[in-house]
Amino acid sequence: MEFNDIPSFLEYYKKIRQRTNRLIAVIPPQYMDWSYKPGKFTIADQIRHIAAIERNMFAETIQGNPCIYNGCGKELADGYDQVISYFNEKHTESLKIFSTLTPHDLKQKCLTPAGTPITTWKWLRAMTEHEIHHRAQVYLYLNILDISTPPMFGLSSEEIISKSSTN
């Protein structure tokens, strides 16, 4: 999917974020610091990571600045309410930056942290893929904890099967 203008990208990204927010809304506060294995991201780390990468890597590099991502630990936000606030605050800051992009800007190259040039609209698409990747990890974490999660597109697999016609 190519994005030629920022309003169409922002509308698409809004839907991505709505699905992420629906998932985050079912996380019990007592599980924010849970991980399946010591040394791996906790649920809170996943949320902080999405926020910090969006703002400190993607939003910075599309402005021609170097990446300033420095991790996703508790020093950024600790506790359920603080993690959610951080997540929302970084998203708001990022949207403000993204909203200034012109069609010309979207076709220009920016540099990834590895120093690889990439077309800005493709870099923004990579950002959505990154969020989806980490959202899937949170889905898995919650499923391991036997916490009911919302269907991504409104229906569960079982509901789709029950509504499907068999030929």
Side-chain angles (χ1 to χ4, degrees), residues 97-111:
I97 292 165
F98 302 151
S99 69
T100 67
L101 297 172
T102 66
H104 176 75
D105 294 333
L106 291 172
K107 291 182 173 130
Q108 297 304 300
K109 301 277 186 180
C110 60
L111 288 178

Side-chain angles (χ1 to χ4, degrees), residues 58-91:
F58 287 100
E60 286 300 315
T61 56
I62 64 154
Q63 296 178 97
N65 299 328
C67 172
I68 58 171
Y69 176 77
N70 198 25
C72 58
K74 287 185 174 188
E75 68 280 358
L76 298 175
D78 190 15
Y80 185 86
D81 291 336
Q82 292 77 15
V83 170
I84 302 306
S85 291
Y86 177 79
F87 183 74
N88 292 326
E89 175 186 315
K90 295 300 147 191
H91 185 60

Side-chain angles (χ1 to χ4, degrees), residues 8-77:
S8 63
F9 168 75
L10 292 175
E11 185 59 31
Y12 169 73
Y13 193 38
K14 177 181 173 184
K15 293 173 185 170
I16 299 291
R17 184 49 60 101
Q18 285 171 343
R19 289 191 280 278
T20 302
N21 283 331
R22 277 196 302 274
L23 178 63
I24 289 172
V26 304
I27 300 169
Q30 68 268 27
Y31 290 113
M32 287 296 272
D33 290 324
W34 183 86
S35 178
Y36 67 96
K37 182 178 176 181
K40 297 296 182 180
F41 277 3
T42 66
I43 292 171
D45 290 337
Q46 297 278 3
I47 296 167
R48 287 186 296 256
H49 178 71
I50 293 168
I53 283 286
E54 175 191 44
R55 176 61 187 87
N56 298 328
M57 185 178 80
F58 287 100
E60 286 300 315
T61 56
I62 64 154
Q63 296 178 97
N65 299 328
C67 172
I68 58 171
Y69 176 77
N70 198 25
C72 58
K74 287 185 174 188
E75 68 280 358
L76 298 175

Side-chain angles (χ1 to χ4, degrees), residues 101-136:
L101 297 172
T102 66
H104 176 75
D105 294 333
L106 291 172
K107 291 182 173 130
Q108 297 304 300
K109 301 277 186 180
C110 60
L111 288 178
T112 69
T116 305
I118 186 170
T119 306
T120 298
W121 74 262
K122 290 180 182 179
W123 192 229
L124 289 171
R125 183 182 62 192
M127 179 183 68
T128 64
E129 292 172 7
H130 176 265
E131 180 166 331
I132 292 164
H133 162 75
H134 286 285
R135 181 177 68 214

